[in-house]
């Protein structure tokens, strides 16, 4: 399929949710239940997603062969918004050798002994690879902001813990993303935007369904009490760090089939824009290939 057609095909799933500037950004302008006016049955959506994932697998092969660009996909969300499932479905066809998923949990003692970006920066993807951050340095301005006692564990010099600390951290994050993008890392950020009502429904399902009990965590319900604090921390983070070079996508997450389509489309679009091709074979390489053929054909 020509590149132009692919881009046209995916744009409608991406553009309404892409945020490239924080100016005037308000989370409440984005509806978690939005499905872009599409009424698709689950089967048709799964088919489309499979095509997107297949396409991505082809592109990833070229990304790897080129060894120039890399892709950093950042997933942030409230609990039960579907980060894990989205990662699983969108990346289903991609060669695991060219792809790394990092899930960030509470930091270890070693991590706490370093600057706050240390543990994330060292996991940025190598050239030609796709890196996925399941949670990321954004936790440092989300959970740490909502529960400020966590900041005390970071052992910062007191003179560097002022009232501007969150703006300063957000500026540091924006700088890191500028730096990465100038290094050839395509940074795409996804906020899976779940409604409070749908979260409750999903938690209840985890309680009701024995096979889902393992997914339930009492601490998730405790975090729900801080819903509004998280929403405003997300809003401020997106405002301070949405740029054309490292855009946010506020993905409607109440319908899983739709959020997966949006994420897959955004990735396909970004990679398509790189206009990748397999590296050209130069004259010297052609000679080597011909010689190898002669040698192989000469074998008894
Ligand atoms: P799942 O529940 O689907 O397994 P998860 O990402 O929610 O995935 P958990 O182990 O439940 O994984 O939670 C990880 C926890 O670690 C989250 O509560 C998150 O807020 C917390 N966390 C992540 N980064 C930091 C950080 N820098 N400082 C403190 N807590 C953090
Ligand atoms: Mg969890």
């Amino acid at each position: 399929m020509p590149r132009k057609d692919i881009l046209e095909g995916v744009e409608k799933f991406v553009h309404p949710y892409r945020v490239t500037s924080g100016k005037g950004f308000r989370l409440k302008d984005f509806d978690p239940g939005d499905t872009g006016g599409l009424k698709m049955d689950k089967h048709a959506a799964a088919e489309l997603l499979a095509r997107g994932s297949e396409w991505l697998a082809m592109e990833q092969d070229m990304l790897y062969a080129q060894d120039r660009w890399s892709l950093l996909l950042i997933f942030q969300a409230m609990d039960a918004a579907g980060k894990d499932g989205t990662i699983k479905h969108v990346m289903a066809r991609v060669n695991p050798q060219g792809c790394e998923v990092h899930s960030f949990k509470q930091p270890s003692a070693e991590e706490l002994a370093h600057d706050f970006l240390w543990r994330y920066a060292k996991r940025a993807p190598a050239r030609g690879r796709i890196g996925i951050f399941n949670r990321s340095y954004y936790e440092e301005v989300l959970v740490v902001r909502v529960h400020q006692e966590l900041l005390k564990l970071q052992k910062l010099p007191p003179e560097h813990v002022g009232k501007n600390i969150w703006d300063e951290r957000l500026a540091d994050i924006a700088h890191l993303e500028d730096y990465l993008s100038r290094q050839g890392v395509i940074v795409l950020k996804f906020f899976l935007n779940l409604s409070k009502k749908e979260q409750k429904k999903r938690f209840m399902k985890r309680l009701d369904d024995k096979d889902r009990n393992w997914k339930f965590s009492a601490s998730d319900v405790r975090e729900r009490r801080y819903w509004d604090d998280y929403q405003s921390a997300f809003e401020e983070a997106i405002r301070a760090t949405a740029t054309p070079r490292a855009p946010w996508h506020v993905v409607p997450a109440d319908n899983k089939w739709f959020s997966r389509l949006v994420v897959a489309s955004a990735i396909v679009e970004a990679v398509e824009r790189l206009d990748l091709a397999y590296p050209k074979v130069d004259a010297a390489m052609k000679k080597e290939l011909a010689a190898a053929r002669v040698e192989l054909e000469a074998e008894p």
Side-chain angles (χ1 to χ4, degrees), residues 79 83-84 104-107 119-120 134-136 139-140 143-144 150 154 215 220 223 230:
D79 288 300
K83 282 185 283 112
D84 292 5
F104 293 99
K105 317 264 177 185
Q106 287 91 344
R119 69 167 176 160
Y120 310 97
N134 182 355
R135 301 186 187 270
S136 67
E139 290 295 328
E140 306 284 344
V143 68
V144 184
L150 293 172
Q154 300 192 357
K215 282 193 188 174
D220 291 353
E223 284 313 282
Y230 274 109

Side-chain angles (χ1 to χ4, degrees), residues 1 5 15-16 47 53 56 61 75 141-142 152 157 173 182 196 203 211 248 257 260 262 276 284 288:
M1 202 193 285
D5 295 349
H15 287 190
E47 183 113 321
S53 181
L56 193 61
D61 203 47
F75 290 90
V141 290
L142 296 167
K152 295 208 179 74
I173 288 173
R182 281 192 275 264
K196 196 174 181 190
F203 282 166
D211 290 343
W248 272 102
W257 65 270
R260 290 170 189 173
V262 171
L276 294 174
E288 257 179 55

Side-chain angles (χ1 to χ4, degrees), residues 104-143:
F104 293 99
K105 317 264 177 185
Q106 287 91 344
S108 68
E110 189 195 16
E111 289 166 344
L112 284 170
H114 287 83
D115 60 278
F116 87 91
L117 288 172
W118 180 76
R119 69 167 176 160
Y120 310 97
K122 68 177 183 177
R123 292 187 171 88
R127 299 197 187 284
R129 310 295 168 98
I130 300 180
I132 297 175
F133 283 4
N134 182 355
R135 301 186 187 270
S136 67
Y137 41 76
Y138 282 99
E139 290 295 328
E140 306 284 344
V141 290
L142 296 167
V143 68

Side-chain angles (χ1 to χ4, degrees), residues 202-210 212-213 216 221:
R202 292 186 190 176
F203 282 166
M204 292 302 279
K205 213 164 162 182
R206 290 178 181 185
L207 292 172
D208 292 341
D209 179 349
K210 275 204 175 54
R212 288 175 202 263
N213 277 175
F216 182 79
V221 175

Side-chain angles (χ1 to χ4, degrees), residues 3 6-7 10-11 14-15 18 55-56 59 63 69-73 185-190 244-247 249 262-276:
R3 184 158 272 130
I6 297 168
L7 285 173
V10 294
E11 270 168 4
V14 185
H15 287 190
R18 172 169 296 162
W55 194 262
L56 193 61
E59 293 282 331
L63 196 73
W69 300 94
S70 58
L71 204 59
L72 174 58
L73 310 174
V185 183
I186 311 295
V187 183
L188 299 178
K189 302 175 289 193
F190 299 97
R245 269 201 286 225
H249 301 81
V262 171
V263 171
S265 302
I267 303 169
V268 168
E269 192 199 21
V271 182
E272 275 301 311
R273 287 203 185 285
L274 291 178
D275 209 359
L276 294 174

Side-chain angles (χ1 to χ4, degrees), residues 7-117:
L7 285 173
E8 272 170 15
V10 294
E11 270 168 4
K12 61 176 179 296
F13 294 123
V14 185
H15 287 190
Y17 314 111
R18 172 169 296 162
V19 185
T20 54
S21 154
K23 214 165 153 243
F25 173 77
R26 288 181 318 178
L27 209 42
K28 70 169 173 22
D29 295 337
F30 290 79
D31 173 11
D34 187 3
T35 53
L38 275 169
K39 279 200 186 61
M40 233 184 243
D41 64 60
K42 275 192 179 170
H43 188 72
E47 183 113 321
L48 204 57
L49 184 62
R51 285 223 320 260
S53 181
E54 221 146 83
W55 194 262
L56 193 61
M58 264 163 51
E59 293 282 331
Q60 188 235 358
D61 203 47
M62 278 193 260
L63 196 73
Y64 193 85
Q66 276 218 334
D67 208 15
R68 290 287 177 276
W69 300 94
S70 58
L71 204 59
L72 174 58
L73 310 174
I74 293 183
F75 290 90
Q76 287 292 158
M78 297 300 284
D79 288 300
K83 282 185 283 112
D84 292 5
T86 303
I87 293 168
K88 180 169 125 187
H89 284 90
V90 173
M91 306 307 288
R93 317 266 158 134
V94 167
N95 179 356
Q97 292 209 72
C99 181
E100 267 175 36
V101 184
H102 298 285
S103 299
F104 293 99
K105 317 264 177 185
Q106 287 91 344
S108 68
E110 189 195 16
E111 289 166 344
L112 284 170
H114 287 83
D115 60 278
F116 87 91
L117 288 172

